[in-house]
Amino acid sequence: MNSVAHIWLFFIIAAAGAEKKKDGDDEWVHLPDNCEVCKFVSIEMKSAFEETGKTKEVIDRNYRFIDSKGAPPIKYVKSDLRFIEVVENVCQRLLEYNLHKERSGSNRFAKGMSETFSTLHGLVNKGVNVVMDIPYELWNETSAEVADLKKRCDVLVEQYEDVIEDWYKGSQEEDLTTYLCEKHVLKGKDAACLQEAWKPKKKGDMAVDKKKKKKQNQAGDRGSDSQKKKKKKKKRSKAPVKRTEEGGMSEEDVQPQVSLSGVKTEL
């Protein structure tokens, strides 16, 4: 690996830690705050409820423990079983997240491989010897930030289970993030991270921009060409064309006579 590649790789690794840090946060590890924990708990909980809400399954509650009648069947989407399954598994879903250190704020938590590690994996696949403080075997391991996110999720769900259940058994018209985070967990606290949204630039955006610029340039070229042609037409002689009595053009019009300077010769 040459020196140029070493320098380039240094900038890639350095970019991985280029994130906005809060006052007093001088460590490489930037653990999630209360806003970020509640944000992703509510996001994954809404996603889990949406996934489990598509079934038409009916639960038979006729266990005949007390009498022969039992309880009438209930739809799974309205059952306590669905609520329990979502609440018990929501924190495990957070382990699917990765840390994207090239992003700032709460956007650094996202599913999928980060751009930095995607680039590093690409270099390894090309045979480049990438040397980092982190062994290659641990590149895809859960980061300390994501592990802490999952741990604090367990605490939050246990503490606010009754609040979540009230939302679940209610009309559910209000967004869960607003109900759980803004009105309960973060009431009177900083909730700015709830408004942060990652908007990645699509790969086709650059191509579209280039096409637009190309079309604009082509349109400008065509406009300049037409203007040049008009100017050329204007520069042509505006003298009236002489016509013969028969209506045709005279020989002078077809080939104008030019006086030749010098000695005349006879043929």
Side-chain angles (χ1 to χ4, degrees):
M1 188 175 179
N2 56 36
S3 59
V4 176
H6 271 296
I7 296 173
W8 184 56
L9 182 57
F10 169 78
F11 282 111
I12 292 176
I13 298 173
E19 60 175 295
K20 294 180 180 178
K21 297 184 177 181
K22 297 181 179 180
D23 295 338
D25 183 16
D26 297 327
E27 300 296 331
W28 175 260
V29 177
H30 182 192
L31 297 178
D33 56 26
N34 293 333
C35 182
E36 293 169 335
V37 173
C38 191
K39 175 180 181 177
F40 292 106
V41 169
S42 62
I43 287 175
E44 287 306 313
M45 193 168 288
K46 285 188 290 185
S47 179
F49 277 129
E50 184 179 353
E51 292 168 5
T52 57
K54 297 177 181 179
T55 181
K56 296 182 179 180
E57 182 182 354
V58 176
I59 299 176
D60 184 7
R61 298 184 297 172
N62 188 15
Y63 301 117
R64 302 177 185 276
F65 290 143
I66 300 175
D67 52 38
S68 58
K69 294 182 179 179
I74 185 174
K75 293 181 179 180
Y76 174 77
V77 294
K78 297 289 185 180
S79 67
D80 292 337
L81 178 61
R82 179 192 179 205
F83 172 78
I84 293 171
E85 289 178 345
V86 169
V87 169
E88 287 185 347
N89 297 314
V90 65
C91 294
Q92 192 67 25
R93 294 167 67 104
L94 295 179
L95 294 178
E96 299 175 8
Y97 282 69
N98 285 311
L99 193 65
H100 297 238
K101 279 188 172 291
E102 67 274 2
R103 304 179 186 179
S104 62
S106 61
N107 292 324
R108 70 187 189 282
F109 292 103
K111 294 181 179 180
M113 186 179 294
S114 67
E115 296 177 11
T116 301
F117 274 101
S118 178
T119 302
L120 293 175
H121 276 289
L123 291 173
V124 172
N125 294 335
K126 292 179 181 179
V128 178
N129 183 24
V130 180
V131 180
M132 290 181 64
D133 293 336
I134 306 174
Y136 179 77
E137 294 77 15
L138 300 179
W139 282 12
N140 298 325
E141 290 296 319
T142 303
S143 66
E145 290 88 343
V146 173
D148 189 69
L149 186 67
K150 193 268 181 188
K151 180 181 177 181
R152 294 177 63 180
C153 170
D154 292 329
V155 176
L156 186 148
V157 170
E158 182 179 358
Q159 186 176 357
Y160 291 92
E161 183 175 354
D162 292 340
V163 174
I164 301 170
E165 187 174 7
D166 289 341
W167 175 86
Y168 175 75
K169 291 185 176 180
S171 62
Q172 299 185 13
E173 292 181 359
E174 191 170 19
D175 182 73
L176 180 58
T177 301
T178 302
Y179 184 83
L180 175 62
C181 299
E182 292 186 14
K183 293 189 174 181
H184 291 85
V185 180
L186 302 173
K187 186 176 181 180
K189 302 177 182 178
D190 183 15
C193 81
L194 301 180
Q195 307 302 324
E196 295 175 350
W198 176 249
K199 296 180 180 179
K201 191 164 185 177
K202 298 179 181 179
K203 294 181 179 180
D205 288 349
M206 293 296 292
V208 171
D209 293 340
K210 289 181 179 178
K211 287 181 179 179
K212 286 183 178 179
K213 288 182 179 179
K214 188 175 180 181
K215 287 182 178 180
Q216 289 175 356
N217 292 335
Q218 288 177 347
D221 293 340
R222 286 195 295 267
S224 59
D225 290 341
S226 61
Q227 289 178 356
K228 289 178 181 178
K229 290 179 180 178
K230 289 180 180 179
K231 288 181 180 180
K232 288 182 179 179
K233 289 181 179 179
K234 288 181 180 179
K235 288 182 180 180
R236 291 179 182 177
S237 176
K238 296 183 180 180
V241 179
K242 296 180 181 180
R243 296 182 178 276
T244 60
E245 294 180 356
E246 289 79 5
M249 291 188 296
S250 64
E251 292 182 358
E252 293 181 357
D253 296 327
V254 178
Q255 186 175 357
Q257 296 181 357
V258 181
S259 58
L260 299 177
S261 60
V263 181
K264 294 182 180 179
T265 58
E266 295 181 358
L267 295 178

